[in-house]
Amino acid sequence: MAGVRTSIHGEWSSKLAFVLAATGSAVGLGNIWKFPYVAGQNGGGAFVLIYVACVAIIGVPIMMAEVMLGRRGRQSPINTMRTLAAEEGRSPRWGLLGWMGVLAGFLILSFYSVIAGWALAYVFRTAAGLFDGATADFTAQVFSNLISDPEKLIAWHTLFLIMTMVVVARGVAAGLETAVRFLMPGLFVLLLLLVGYAMAEGQFVHGLQFLFAPDFGKVTPEVILMAMGQAFFSLSLGMGAIMIYGSYLPHDASIARTSIAVASADTLVALIAGLAIFPVVFEYGLQPNAGPGLIFQTLPIAFGQMPGGAFFGTLFFILLVFAAWTSAISLVEPAVAWLVENRGHTRVYAAVVCGMLTWFVGLGTVFSFNLWSDYRLFGRTFFDLLDYLTSNIMLPIGGLLIAIFAGWLMKERSVKEELKMDDSLGYRLWRFLVRYITPVGVGLVFLNVIEVI
Ligand code: PHE
């Protein structure tokens, strides 16, 4: 029966379309904005190594599980989980996993959109030639002027959310496929150009050492949690984004191969972004742990110094906005699909409602950088708290539950039918990882951190 289910929201035109869309979801601010600054705050090398290990042994198996559940359920994550739980003779309360994902998606998008707004602002600043010949002091000043102005931040946040909701309202497939097909490779090429600059003009070896020479003295339970959280965030796992994209996947596509392709592309982009940024950081005496402003303070220096920098810089920020855009869409898609399925709303109405809600929560992030910058909750600003709560707690819990459902609660026959991997070595490896390594790994990281608190 599962074999004939189709999605009421449509299907990707091909297997490649799914790979592109999932890559579009995965590659975003998480790779280019967040990875470098979190790696910087957590001491570099050892963090990066743990992050890559988390991608390989926790991320890929969970991604396969998530795609598998999505393709079998063919609905919004909430209804997919309810349907599959019923089929497998499990509690309907598994729908709550979908709800947690919807909530995580809202919370993430609320700050994601504010940061994407920074990238939008930088498109115009770079295009105007503001950074020509810029020094480190100057780029720091420009950044601080932007984030200290709530009105500007709200304007950019609003614009980005409108862009996102327009695409969501029209349905994912159409715009997304073409956007990802052409823009992702463009972004990649520009990142390579920046790496070229970093090699020629920056302290490349120092950057390389910082990123890849692990200093295990710097590893604390907190660093491991951050690395795991970053893996979940960057791969878009644990909240249903990949599950809903899986629900539009044609039946004949190989889940294993597509998941590995998406995870590899995502990790490669993050590492290359790190290679572009840290040599510049060291060359100009900036701090690797500068925080969320890191790329906005370093890359403009590079663009300001290189020939044709205003042009390449503008193009870079445009592509960064596109990368953020294709991720943002996947953050609301589970909620929108549910509103359409269960409430009978049109996509347009659903997108408007979700957009307004997200906009409102996003104000908290806007004010974290100015009006509320002195307020702390659990030692964090509102933005930091949201980011921490979603990446390091909600997404890993979501992933853990997905692994338990796919590894322990579904009948093996159903899993095999959907993964179409027979009894191959790959299948057995996946099953082992999803049943033992993933739950134990995520569980241990949590326990360690709790002990420390
Ligand atoms: N993976 C996206 C990025 O790296 C963010 C994201 C997280 C998207 C969770 C969807 C779900 O920018």
Side-chain angles (χ1 to χ4, degrees):
M1 159 202 169
V4 294
R5 198 150 43 215
T6 52
S7 169
I8 61 164
H9 312 283
E11 197 171 273
W12 303 114
S13 60
S14 68
K15 187 170 67 187
L16 180 68
F18 166 78
V19 176
L20 289 170
T23 310
S25 167
V27 175
L29 295 172
N31 309 60
I32 293 162
W33 158 76
K34 196 172 172 195
F35 172 76
Y37 95 74
V38 180
Q41 282 176 331
N42 288 282
F47 169 90
V48 174
L49 195 70
I50 300 169
Y51 161 73
V52 173
C54 286
V55 168
I57 58 182
I58 298 181
V60 172
I62 293 186
M63 185 177 284
M64 287 174 61
E66 219 183 299
V67 176
M68 186 263 293
L69 296 178
R71 184 164 72 179
R72 199 166 175 80
R74 293 251 181 238
Q75 301 153 70
S76 66
I78 297 170
N79 291 327
T80 283
M81 288 314 297
R82 282 176 150 273
T83 308
L84 296 185
E87 271 176 21
E88 304 291 329
R90 305 292 170 181
S91 158
R93 271 196 292 256
W94 276 95
L96 287 175
L97 171 58
W99 279 110
M100 188 178 68
V102 165
L103 180 65
F106 268 117
L107 297 179
I108 295 175
L109 185 59
S110 80
F111 70 79
Y112 205 85
S113 160
V114 175
I115 313 290
W118 299 356
L120 267 175
Y122 269 63
V123 170
F124 295 92
R125 281 166 179 59
T126 318
L130 185 64
F131 297 114
D132 291 349
T135 59
D137 284 341
F138 180 73
T139 59
Q141 191 57 48
V142 171
F143 180 68
S144 119
N145 285 348
L146 173 67
I147 64 167
S148 57
D149 185 341
E151 280 173 30
K152 273 195 204 131
L153 294 188
I154 292 175
W156 293 117
H157 163 57
T158 309
L159 178 61
F160 183 78
L161 263 185
I162 292 175
M163 285 164 52
T164 302
M165 295 309 163
V166 166
V167 178
V168 172
R170 300 181 48 183
V172 276
L176 205 60
E177 287 189 35
T178 26
V180 181
R181 196 186 298 246
F182 297 105
L183 300 172
M184 286 289 140
L187 182 67
F188 194 71
V189 169
L190 274 182
L191 277 174
L192 289 181
L193 177 82
L194 279 168
V195 174
Y197 174 83
M199 275 176 157
E201 306 289 338
Q203 297 198 9
F204 194 68
V205 177
H206 192 172
L208 211 60
Q209 272 171 349
F210 181 78
L211 272 178
F212 296 112
D215 171 359
F216 291 105
K218 291 191 177 141
V219 178
T220 60
E222 183 71 16
V223 168
I224 303 180
L225 180 69
M226 297 295 291
M228 183 177 76
Q230 176 62 20
F232 276 96
F233 184 86
S234 194
L235 295 172
S236 305
L237 292 179
M239 54 75 57
I242 291 293
M243 195 183 290
I244 189 105
Y245 279 7
S247 77
Y248 309 144
L249 182 67
H251 271 292
D252 53 354
S254 154
I255 292 179
R257 235 172 294 143
T258 47
S259 301
I260 292 172
V262 173
S264 312
D266 186 67
T267 310
L268 193 66
V269 173
L271 296 178
I272 290 183
L275 278 182
I277 285 158
F278 284 107
V280 179
V281 168
F282 296 122
E283 177 69 27
Y284 290 94
L286 301 163
Q287 293 306 318
N289 62 356
L294 189 66
I295 68 156
F296 295 96
Q297 293 174 32
T298 49
L299 293 183
I301 307 178
F303 292 127
Q305 310 286 336
M306 68 169 71
F311 172 75
F312 290 122
T314 309
L315 200 57
F316 173 82
F317 283 113
I318 291 176
L319 293 173
L320 182 60
V321 168
F322 269 103
W325 200 1
T326 54
S327 301
I329 291 164
S330 72
L331 283 162
V332 262
E333 182 62 19
V336 168
W338 182 82
L339 284 170
V340 172
E341 284 165 11
N342 286 45
R343 292 281 177 268
H345 295 308
T346 59
R347 285 191 69 91
V348 175
Y349 180 87
V352 171
V353 172
C354 293
M356 293 208 296
L357 209 69
T358 317
W359 183 85
F360 189 70
V361 183
L363 296 182
T365 293
V366 165
F367 298 147
S368 298
F369 295 100
N370 36 67
L371 305 179
W372 298 351
S373 60
D374 292 332
Y375 292 109
R376 291 284 187 280
L377 212 65
F378 303 106
R380 291 168 198 279
T381 61
F382 182 83
F383 156 71
D384 272 335
L385 194 67
L386 269 193
D387 179 22
Y388 191 89
L389 178 75
T390 49
S391 297
N392 300 343
I393 300 173
M394 295 176 82
L395 299 184
I397 290 182
L400 177 71
L401 292 173
I402 288 169
I404 291 175
F405 189 85
W408 293 95
L409 302 183
M410 266 175 98
K411 291 187 253 339
E412 199 176 353
R413 187 164 36 81
S414 322
V415 176
K416 275 191 167 159
E417 190 178 292
E418 202 59 50
L419 280 179
K420 301 194 174 58
M421 289 172 79
D422 301 321
D423 218 5
S424 62
L425 190 65
Y427 169 77
R428 274 180 280 153
L429 179 65
W430 171 81
R431 190 157 169 87
F432 175 75
L433 290 172
V434 125
R435 280 166 72 96
Y436 300 102
I437 303 301
T438 303
V440 172
V442 177
L444 280 181
V445 174
F446 277 146
L447 281 181
N448 254 308
V449 175
I450 290 168
E451 227 165 79
V452 170
I453 296 168

